[in-house]
Amino acid sequence: MAVSSAPGKVYLFGEHAVVYGEPAVPCAIEVRAQVGVEQRSDSKLRIHAEDLSLDGFTVEYGGTAGSPPDVDVSESLLTAAMGYVDVAIEHVRDVTGEDDVGFDVTIESDIPLGAGLGSSAAVVVAAIDAGTRELGTTLEIDELAERAYQTESAVQSGEASRADTFCSATGGAVRVEGDDCRMLEAPDLPIVVGFDGGAGDTGQLVAGVRSLREEYSFASDTVEAIGDIVRKGERALERGDIEELGRLMNFNHGLLGALGVSSRSLDSMVWAARNAGAHGAKLTGAGGGGCIVALDPSDETETALSYTPGCRDAFRAELAETGVRRIE
Ligand code: PMV
């Protein structure tokens, strides 16, 4: 068996706008998905994930007595997560030229699904890495990131940027603009995450921004304005100017709100963080529900979030300096 893990991420800047060619700056965090892949003697694919098991096309889901699902997510979301693994394994077969090989795949993830922390990217990166290593091939990080991106893109019908998968493969803070991805120098950021217990539908939210952009010119201007914030944010990151980073994150959140992708619980958590003295706070990822990211070196934001109605969980997240980790 080969086991790899890969980190989730927060968007410091640029989600949604990145879909239209603006840059984005995601940053990997030490919250990981771990995937074990073991070759089978037949050509079947069996996927085990906590309360979910998937064998061929049969999905069984439901908390067993005494071990209810940890996170409130719908069955369809979990099924979708398994769809990513299916395509990831196709890439493993393609890379190694072993078309008929079957696998047992075990997923353990601390990253809430569909909540803006890059859960699917982390699972895909770890699955491709462990799967190829199980067959004796170790991929270069660039190829791993490329294969992981192709996987997300196929599952999301072409509506995926390279941001999540590249960041999860490399770790650290990265800059993504179209096909151009690179790592950035970043200081140790005081990241706090707030999670509302829910999830947004990335496809629907991306489609919503697309139609808003077609109908209203303010929406395309907003996307461009987000691009300007990202460029300023990159420079602030390189200078290690946390105050300016926070201010720019606040602006970015306001613009995402104008694009209609925030929600009451995300806004409540953002305001709770700001009132607690965070340098800045914004939603991360597609929005609609899920997580916010705040910058606060003190414990105030985490404490305030834990009392904020609508916040299910709040935690400090270290920047993940390593991306994919080869465990076994
Ligand atoms: O919610 P996430 O982590 O899947 O992020 C989606 C980010 C978008 O910019 C909205 C879409 C994308 O693929 O970049």
Side-chain angles (χ1 to χ4, degrees):
M1 172 146 89
V3 182
S4 298
S5 81
K9 60 98 218 341
V10 290
Y11 270 96
L12 293 177
F13 305 107
E15 54 274 88
H16 285 286
V18 71
V19 174
Y20 306 99
E22 298 293 346
V25 177
C27 172
I29 55 171
E30 269 312 332
V31 185
R32 287 182 174 259
Q34 179 168 310
V35 180
V37 181
E38 184 157 28
Q39 191 174 347
R40 291 170 61 96
S41 54
D42 57 27
S43 59
K44 285 192 185 144
L45 173 61
R46 271 193 92 101
I47 303 169
H48 315 268
E50 288 161 23
D51 298 293
L52 174 105
S53 72
L54 183 138
D55 185 1
F57 294 102
T58 318
V59 178
E60 294 160 19
Y61 173 70
T64 46
S67 64
D70 224 358
V71 190
D72 275 340
V73 285
S74 66
E75 182 177 334
S76 63
L77 200 56
L78 281 166
T79 311
M82 297 306 100
Y84 286 94
V85 177
D86 225 1
V87 180
I89 291 300
E90 280 311 311
H91 276 275
V92 170
R93 292 183 173 131
D94 184 53
V95 175
T96 55
E98 305 230 25
D99 295 341
D100 294 328
V101 68
F103 297 101
D104 281 313
V105 176
T106 307
I107 305 169
E108 287 166 36
S109 178
D110 293 331
I111 313 171
L113 285 176
L117 297 186
S119 55
S120 57
V123 167
V124 167
V125 166
I128 296 178
D129 191 70
T132 45
R133 287 195 305 107
E134 171 70 358
L135 298 182
T137 302
T138 302
L139 294 179
E140 296 291 332
I141 297 298
D142 280 350
E143 179 167 7
L144 176 60
E146 176 63 28
R147 296 261 176 189
Y149 162 67
Q150 297 296 343
T151 302
E152 278 220 318
S153 183
V155 178
Q156 292 166 205
S157 317
E159 293 277 16
S161 72
R162 292 175 184 274
D164 287 24
T165 38
F166 183 79
C167 186
S168 184
T170 60
V174 308
R175 178 192 204 272
V176 175
E177 184 170 4
D179 292 346
D180 179 32
C181 307
R182 61 184 166 84
M183 295 186 76
L184 297 175
E185 286 293 319
D188 198 12
L189 296 169
I191 296 171
V192 180
V193 175
F195 174 41
D196 70 3
D201 181 329
T202 302
Q204 233 170 52
L205 290 151
V206 169
V209 173
R210 188 175 297 284
S211 45
L212 205 64
R213 235 175 129 254
E214 280 158 14
E215 199 174 344
Y216 299 96
S217 57
F218 94 83
S220 11
D221 296 344
T222 302
V223 164
E224 279 179 35
I226 292 177
D228 290 340
I229 289 176
V230 180
R231 284 180 277 271
K232 286 199 164 56
E234 262 175 78
R235 292 195 287 273
L237 195 63
E238 272 161 358
R239 290 197 307 274
D241 185 345
I242 309 271
E243 278 181 24
E244 175 70 355
L245 280 174
R247 196 173 308 124
L248 293 166
M249 285 166 66
N250 286 338
F251 296 150
N252 195 160
H253 182 76
L255 295 175
L256 287 166
L259 293 177
V261 299
S262 192
S263 70
R264 185 189 291 262
S265 54
L266 293 173
D267 284 344
S268 305
M269 292 191 289
V270 160
W271 277 107
R274 290 175 187 164
N275 290 339
H279 293 299
K282 63 181 278 296
L283 67 84
T284 168
C291 292
I292 65 140
V293 50
L295 296 184
D296 186 356
S298 82
D299 293 337
E300 301 292 326
T301 292
E302 216 180 317
T303 309
L305 282 172
S306 65
Y307 292 111
T308 301
C311 178
R312 164 85 162 267
D313 193 14
F315 54 93
R316 183 165 290 286
E318 299 293 320
L319 185 146
E321 295 196 12
T322 351
V324 69
R325 204 173 270 160
R326 293 164 174 156
I327 294 165
E328 175 179 329

